[in-house]
Amino acid sequence: MSFDLVFFGGTGDLTWRKLMPALFQAWRHGKLPAQGRILAVARDERSDASYRQWLKDKLTSGDDLAKRPTEDEFERFAALVHYLRMDLSQPGDYAVLRQWLQTRQADTVVMYLATSPHLFPVICEQLGAAGLNHPAVRVVLEKPLGHDLASAQAINRAVGAVFSERQALRIDHYLGKPSVQNLMALRFGNVLFEPLWRRESIANIQITLAESLGVGTRGDFYDRTGALRDMVQNHALQLLTMVAMEPPSSADADAIRDEKLKVLRSLKPFDAASVARDVVRGQYRAGTVGGMSVPGYLDEAKVPAGSHTETFVALRCEVQNWRWAGVPFYLRTGKRLAHRHAEIVVNFRPTPHSIFPGTQPPNQLVIKLQPDDGLQLHLLAAKGALGPDLAGDHQAEHLSPVSLDLDFDKAFPTDRVGAYERMLLDALAGRLNLFVRSDEQEQAWRWVEPILEAWRHDGSGLKTYSAGTWGPAAASALVARDGFAWAEES
Ligand code: BG6
């Protein structure tokens, strides 16, 4: 298969931090089809050679030494990489792009829009006008897709006027994380868990996406966005759909996406009262993370004085259907938390009747997304080799917690691919399972809008938390109210 992969925003942060490194790894792993060309598009005047040199400086100074290319590897990879200067509002520049693409007819052309989303409509319109929306073309849209339902719908309409739904790939890189694939495998490739995967056996489910980093150099973007739009509307809700969905009838993209959409539609809607009760928002103050003193959000570069933007959200929600009625789902995400750590915790109910002494922690399944990637099942076991105790009580065997640990990095050491690598390869191959359909994305906006609305009318609820902690105390209280605790507190 031959492909042309065009990166709009070719000199932007996302391209050099995530996309090019992921492509390089795909190439290094021998997963990129041989007949490929990569074209970076941006506004500056550059030659192929100067773009390659710029890219080389970025890739060879990456934090992870094992991922840096050697001199020879970079030379061979760079032979695929080209550069084109474009003004995205100029039809003539799209004609030049068309000519470049027509120097050969690739089987697949992927246009990756790694630009600000306000440019998506104009880019799609111009691509369409230049005839660059034929069936071999797919367009990948990076988040954030809009800042509310209306703006997301406007973008989807503009994209939909040019590309069919199956040509438009909305990326949520959390779905590309290997553990999320394993959640599907665990649920639908094994018989063990499905009978227990319901309200009768599960007490609550917790999804935590914690970051230790602050807003870095993105203070202005982040301040307009906040944690609810940046992480909850997309990543956290997508993970929730993967946990809560019914078994799809096949692995076909739409069979899966139909089930995810049903979950989003079953989420109990918020109103002003439930937002005040069930949603906690916070903003970090100065503190210590990993032994280093770090400034508070209001002192970060490009953050306006007195900003009320939330850097932390914790919320309680419910999926209103037969499987999940009454089971709380707690979602939590934040910047500058104690450490970088993303996981889904499924807390099972206690045994209905105990024959063992002492209190026993119920079973817990932890799906670890990062930094490690694996599954942990917490069980209780008898240590064994205990005789009857002196009081002659033969039942006095105390149980001890043990865990079954599955470390996917160790189990499959050579087959692991990163989230962006996986998503890029899927985009090139036209595998749509992990991309978000427009109706899912709009439904997610519909669900978060009452929260945004309530916050607009009531600026008083913003709590503070010290950097390096697990967020405001109110987040613990939210879970404690139901008689539960966050995983790290239990
Ligand atoms: C992005 C958010 O979508 O995800 C960032 O915009 C966040 O603010 C990032 O830092 C987290 O991704 P990961 O894969 O590093 O957990």
Side-chain angles (χ1 to χ4, degrees):
M1 182 194 88
S2 59
F3 72 86
D4 283 333
L5 174 54
V6 182
F7 287 122
F8 290 86
T11 51
D13 255 33
L14 182 73
T15 302
W16 66 263
R17 273 187 209 284
K18 301 276 192 192
L19 302 176
M20 286 293 188
L23 264 186
F24 170 70
Q25 293 306 322
W27 173 85
R28 187 187 243 178
H29 296 148
K31 297 202 158 113
L32 268 194
Q35 300 299 308
R37 295 190 301 180
I38 300 161
L39 180 68
V41 164
R43 280 185 84 97
D44 337 347
E45 201 60 69
R46 286 174 199 253
S47 61
D48 283 359
S50 69
Y51 184 79
R52 288 171 185 164
Q53 184 55 49
W54 172 86
L55 185 62
K56 182 176 183 182
D57 294 344
K58 300 286 187 201
L59 294 189
T60 51
S61 57
D63 294 339
D64 188 341
L65 296 185
K67 293 196 167 157
R68 290 184 183 175
T70 63
E71 195 69 31
D72 170 59
E73 280 178 327
F74 187 81
E75 286 316 307
R76 287 186 289 136
F77 173 69
L80 311 180
V81 179
H82 304 267
Y83 181 82
L84 180 66
R85 195 207 70 82
M86 275 182 76
D87 177 339
L88 297 178
S89 60
Q90 289 305 312
D93 288 3
Y94 290 81
V96 178
L97 172 63
R98 188 179 56 222
Q99 273 166 18
W100 189 89
L101 292 167
Q102 281 174 346
T103 51
R104 63 166 194 171
Q105 299 288 340
D107 299 325
T108 299
V109 179
V110 171
M111 308 283 187
Y112 198 117
L113 309 196
T115 63
S116 163
H118 78 271
L119 294 170
F120 293 175
V122 66
I123 298 175
C124 288
E125 191 188 324
Q126 295 289 349
L127 287 172
L132 290 174
N133 59 340
H134 53 83
V137 180
R138 284 189 276 276
V139 63
V140 180
L141 308 163
E142 251 301 335
K143 70 171 273 281
L145 258 112
H147 56 273
D148 57 11
L149 178 62
S151 55
Q153 284 173 325
I155 293 176
N156 283 335
R157 265 197 307 275
V159 174
V162 179
F163 294 100
S164 71
E165 183 64 40
R166 291 189 78 84
Q167 287 176 289
L169 279 51
R170 291 168 199 78
I171 197 164
D172 186 310
H173 76 279
Y174 265 70
L175 295 184
K177 295 197 188 268
S179 293
V180 179
Q181 306 316 302
N182 271 308
L183 175 58
M184 289 281 277
L186 178 85
R187 290 198 56 200
F188 307 130
N190 294 286
V191 75
L192 220 55
F193 284 101
E194 195 47 30
L196 303 178
W197 211 257
R198 56 193 65 250
R199 63 192 302 280
E200 288 80 3
S201 314
I202 292 180
N204 68 83
I205 294 183
Q206 307 181 357
I207 299 178
T208 295
L209 309 180
E211 296 185 83
S212 53
L213 293 178
V215 294
T217 53
R218 300 194 310 158
D220 45 354
F221 158 78
Y222 194 85
D223 201 68
R224 282 180 270 118
T225 309
L228 187 74
R229 291 184 172 100
D230 191 41
M231 298 290 286
V232 177
Q233 186 273 344
N234 33 69
H235 305 321
L237 278 185
Q238 283 294 323
L239 294 181
L240 186 152
T241 63
M242 300 296 265
V243 178
M245 73 180 181
E246 294 300 314
S249 60
S250 74
D252 175 69
D254 278 329
I256 295 171
R257 299 189 296 184
D258 287 348
E259 296 304 336
K260 287 165 62 200
L261 177 62
K262 281 191 214 158
V263 174
L264 292 167
R265 287 190 174 144
S266 309
L267 283 171
K268 186 172 181 181
F270 278 109
D271 57 24
S274 56
V275 170
R277 190 185 59 230
D278 293 339
V279 187
V280 174
R281 63 187 146 140
Q283 193 185 71
Y284 61 85
R285 294 290 175 261
T288 308
V289 180
M292 303 264 291
S293 298
V294 296
Y297 178 70
L298 294 176
D299 295 320
E300 298 276 18
K302 302 188 219 156
V303 170
S307 163
H308 275 83
T309 298
E310 79 289 355
T311 60
F312 175 95
V313 176
L315 60 83
R316 178 193 191 282
C317 59
E318 284 182 32
V319 179
Q320 294 182 304
N321 61 21
W322 276 43
R323 186 187 285 269
W324 295 116
V327 177
F329 284 73
Y330 304 106
L331 312 186
R332 173 176 65 159
T333 185
K335 301 265 184 212
R336 286 287 190 227
L337 295 182
H339 47 88
R340 178 169 183 256
H341 162 86
E343 66 181 20
I344 302 170
V345 177
V346 180
N347 285 311
F348 289 89
R349 291 189 188 280
T351 51
H353 167 70
S354 178
I355 60 167
F356 298 100
T359 32
Q360 287 116 35
N363 297 138
Q364 188 181 60
L365 175 71
V366 183
I367 300 138
K368 297 159 107 192
L369 273 59
Q370 60 196 25
D372 311 320
D373 161 22
L375 277 179
Q376 251 176 4
L377 180 59
H378 296 283
L379 304 166
L380 288 174
K383 280 191 193 151
L386 278 184
D389 68 11
L390 292 177
D393 179 356
H394 291 264
Q395 294 182 344
E397 180 116 37
H398 284 265
L399 300 188
S400 307
V402 286
S403 72
L404 295 179
D405 273 304
L406 191 53
D407 179 335
F408 295 124
D409 290 325
K410 288 203 184 112
F412 310 116
T414 55
D415 292 329
R416 314 303 284 152
V417 292
Y420 268 104
E421 184 180 345
R422 163 81 200 234
M423 300 306 278
L424 282 164
L425 291 172
D426 281 2
L428 291 173
R431 280 188 297 264
L432 305 185
N433 300 22
L434 299 180
F435 293 95
V436 179
R437 218 168 47 191
S438 59
D439 49 4
E440 284 181 76
Q441 188 222 2
E442 289 177 13
Q443 188 58 33
W445 275 118
R446 206 166 275 122
W447 188 72
V448 300
E449 278 219 324
I451 308 178
L452 293 169
E453 185 61 19
W455 288 353
R456 239 192 316 275
H457 291 109
D458 176 13
S460 68
L462 185 73
K463 312 269 190 255
T464 58
Y465 61 100
S466 300
T469 65
W470 283 104
S476 302
L478 175 76
V479 179
R481 211 174 58 206
D482 294 333
F484 303 126
W486 291 105
E488 80 280 355
E489 295 170 344
S490 54

